[in-house]
Amino acid sequence: MAFKIDPSVLNSASLRLAVVGNNISNSGVTGFKGSDFSDVLASTSSSGGNGVRIAGSRQLFTQGTLQTSQNGLDMAINGRGFYQIFRPSDSSIAYTRDGSFNLDKDGYIVNPTGDNLTGYGIDNAGEVEVGAVKNLQVSTANSQPTPTSKSKMQLLLDSRLPVIAAPNDIFDPQDAKTYSSTTITSIYDEQGTSHEFKTYYVKTAIGTWDVYGTTDGVASNPNPAVGAVGHDTNLPAGAPLRGARFSFDQAGNLADRVVGGQPVPGLITYVGNVGTAFSNLSNADKITFPIGYTDSSGNDAFFNLDVTQTAQYASDFLASTQQNGYPTGQFLNVTVDKEGTLFANYSSGQSNKVGRVVLATFPSEINLAQDRNNQFVKTTASGDPTINSPGKGGTGQVLGGNIETAGVDLTSEMIKLISAQRTYQANSEVVKRQDQVMQTIIGIGQ
């Protein structure tokens, strides 16, 4: 009888409508992964059709579209993998593609329902410690100051400038006629206090320049023996400050010199005070300057100025300096790079690594079980997760400041909805006609 057949078809169409409806209703949910209704299997017998048998629905993990967001802690996975989530409500582990995260009051990275994002921590050296996975936490305290220990300068001296000659050949930082060019750089001590470090360049001959320095207006005297000489505040009147000398070849590069019978590219010479001979620096590519304060050990603090990228051309004077010191800074935000490494950013311009997101993959992700809050849990059929850093072990990359939209094609789902609705209506009509037939048969017997 058709009554045996048609209800199974109605059940199939009803389940298809439920699956499609769930996809459509969640099409705006970040990282949502839709399901697909599997084909139904027809069954026949010698007496006619026996309706359909429902094969069930299957989970789909179609890549969603990536969209930028205003939250640096939002993350989108481009490729395979799931975020591993710790749920404190029942101490369980779940997995999700929803990368909507924020910091809670204790600095933990959590999703909107308060579940913790897990990943690798940081070791004592400030580097990512790959190993045990933990709940990721970020300190929002001010950053510690970092004293300047090295600086790198890109320097282009103008060969067209005239040689500084008498009566201006005695360097005086207060007299602009005694030097050709100057630069200013901020450097920092252990307390995070900023000091103004100036370098002066004096063209003493064709292809030859002397270099001098001051820190906060006081002579800053470089010396190859670190700590040997601090601020020289007792110079006789008119005596030049200690400096260094650059010599350039015809091509405008630092000239080679011979030390111990061997050529040393771009070696700088050390300049002493009046009456002191020149000698070659043992550290050929750096000039060691005092910062201008005594460190916590009671020693004069110095930093190395790397001048390897120095040249002389017929071009305007250019100088660009980078140094590794920072003042204390206020916490601003957290950002993430494509390897999943998290950085705490501070008002001082400093960025510190604070952890790394991990991604989980499964032997059969299609067999993960859907759970609450757009999350999945592992099953026997899915297999155990493999944990890796983003971009490793076949996982995708993580894009910070982005979200992954739902992996649902709304147009396709609407077509499926219309198809399922028509199937349901058509089979409802069959049941209705069979009911009329049955009513007629019952009337005949009365």
Side-chain angles (χ1 to χ4, degrees):
M1 291 291 295
F3 281 132
K4 180 179 179 182
I5 300 172
D6 300 324
S8 67
V9 180
L10 287 175
N11 289 338
S12 170
S14 178
L15 181 55
R16 182 185 292 272
L17 282 169
V19 170
V20 173
N22 183 63
N23 290 343
I24 293 174
S25 63
N26 288 285
S27 61
V29 176
T30 302
F32 174 77
K33 297 302 174 186
S35 300
D36 188 23
F37 189 79
S38 297
D39 293 335
V40 294
L41 304 177
S43 175
T44 60
S45 67
S46 59
S47 60
N50 288 326
V52 296
R53 181 164 61 87
I54 300 171
S57 62
R58 59 183 178 180
Q59 186 65 52
L60 300 178
F61 291 100
T62 306
Q63 174 75 50
T65 303
L66 306 187
Q67 293 182 349
T68 57
S69 77
Q70 300 301 313
N71 178 18
L73 264 179
D74 283 342
M75 298 176 235
I77 302 172
N78 188 19
R80 292 186 62 208
F82 299 84
Y83 304 109
Q84 181 172 280
I85 301 297
F86 174 76
R87 304 191 287 199
S89 60
D90 57 6
S91 298
S92 62
I93 298 295
Y95 305 90
T96 185
R97 293 279 296 198
D98 186 350
S100 302
F101 297 106
N102 281 293
L103 295 181
D104 69 8
K105 62 182 180 63
D106 297 315
Y108 285 101
I109 301 177
V110 297
N111 64 15
T113 57
D115 301 327
N116 294 90
L117 177 65
T118 66
Y120 298 134
I122 298 296
D123 61 21
N124 293 332
E127 296 300 324
V128 175
E129 188 173 27
V130 177
V133 174
K134 58 191 292 187
N135 294 341
L136 291 171
Q137 186 179 23
V138 179
S139 172
T140 57
N142 290 347
S143 64
Q144 297 295 316
T146 302
T148 301
S149 63
K150 60 183 179 180
S151 178
K152 188 171 186 177
M153 179 177 290
Q154 291 179 306
L155 184 65
L156 176 59
L157 298 171
D158 187 351
S159 63
R160 299 169 300 180
L161 292 177
V163 173
I164 302 293
N168 302 314
D169 56 345
I170 297 178
F171 173 69
D172 180 357
Q174 304 300 321
D175 187 354
K177 296 190 297 293
T178 66
Y179 55 88
S180 308
S181 304
T182 184
T183 64
I184 302 176
T185 303
S186 292
I187 56 177
Y188 300 91
D189 61 25
E190 287 182 330
Q191 300 294 321
T193 302
S194 175
H195 299 274
E196 185 179 79
F197 175 70
K198 289 186 176 182
T199 52
Y200 302 84
Y201 305 92
V202 180
K203 187 174 183 179
T204 59
I206 300 298
T208 303
W209 299 72
D210 284 352
V211 186
Y212 303 96
T214 62
T215 303
D216 294 334
V218 181
S220 195
N221 301 318
N223 194 293
V226 175
V229 178
H231 283 264
D232 194 343
T233 57
N234 298 312
L235 288 174
L241 307 178
R242 261 186 212 107
R245 174 164 291 177
F246 295 152
S247 294
F248 297 93
D249 59 23
Q250 291 296 318
N253 302 312
L254 286 171
D256 292 353
R257 298 180 185 279
V258 177
V259 177
Q262 299 296 323
V264 179
L267 190 66
I268 306 162
T269 56
Y270 167 64
V271 182
N273 280 334
V274 173
T276 304
F278 287 77
S279 60
N280 289 322
L281 278 172
S282 58
N283 194 354
D285 58 352
K286 297 178 178 66
I287 311 173
T288 303
F289 285 98
I291 295 179
Y293 78 102
T294 301
D295 62 23
S296 57
S297 301
N299 300 317
D300 287 337
F302 288 79
F303 77 98
N304 287 324
L305 178 62
D306 186 335
V307 291
T308 52
Q309 298 186 45
T310 299
Q312 175 194 250
Y313 300 127
S315 178
D316 292 341
F317 174 78
L318 293 173
S320 174
T321 306
Q322 295 178 329
Q323 56 85 41
N324 66 343
Y326 291 95
T328 186
Q330 293 183 330
F331 173 81
L332 296 178
N333 54 33
V334 180
T335 52
V336 58
D337 67 12
K338 63 183 180 180
E339 284 89 24
T341 303
L342 298 158
F343 294 87
N345 304 305
Y346 301 90
S347 59
S348 60
Q350 193 171 11
S351 294
N352 295 332
K353 295 178 183 178
V354 293
R356 178 177 292 165
V357 178
V358 296
L359 296 181
T361 55
F362 294 85
S364 180
E365 61 185 24
I366 197 173
N367 286 307
L368 289 169
Q370 280 192 342
D371 206 59
R372 62 183 186 267
N373 300 329
N374 198 18
Q375 296 170 1
F376 301 88
V377 293
K378 73 172 186 176
T379 64
T380 302
S382 71
D384 292 328
T386 299
I387 304 299
N388 279 294
S389 297
K392 305 292 184 182
T395 62
Q397 293 180 333
V398 169
L399 300 180
N402 283 261
I403 58 172
E404 180 188 5
T405 62
V408 173
D409 183 344
L410 195 55
T411 301
S412 176
E413 294 301 318
M414 292 301 295
I415 294 173
K416 291 179 183 178
L417 178 64
I418 294 170
S419 175
Q421 183 181 17
R422 287 179 175 175
T423 300
Y424 191 92
Q425 289 174 335
N427 283 279
S428 295
E429 188 66 24
V430 172
V431 173
K432 179 179 178 181
R433 298 303 179 192
Q434 287 298 320
D435 178 61
Q436 291 175 349
V437 170
M438 289 299 297
Q439 292 298 326
T440 301
I441 294 174
I442 291 172
I444 293 173
Q446 292 180 345

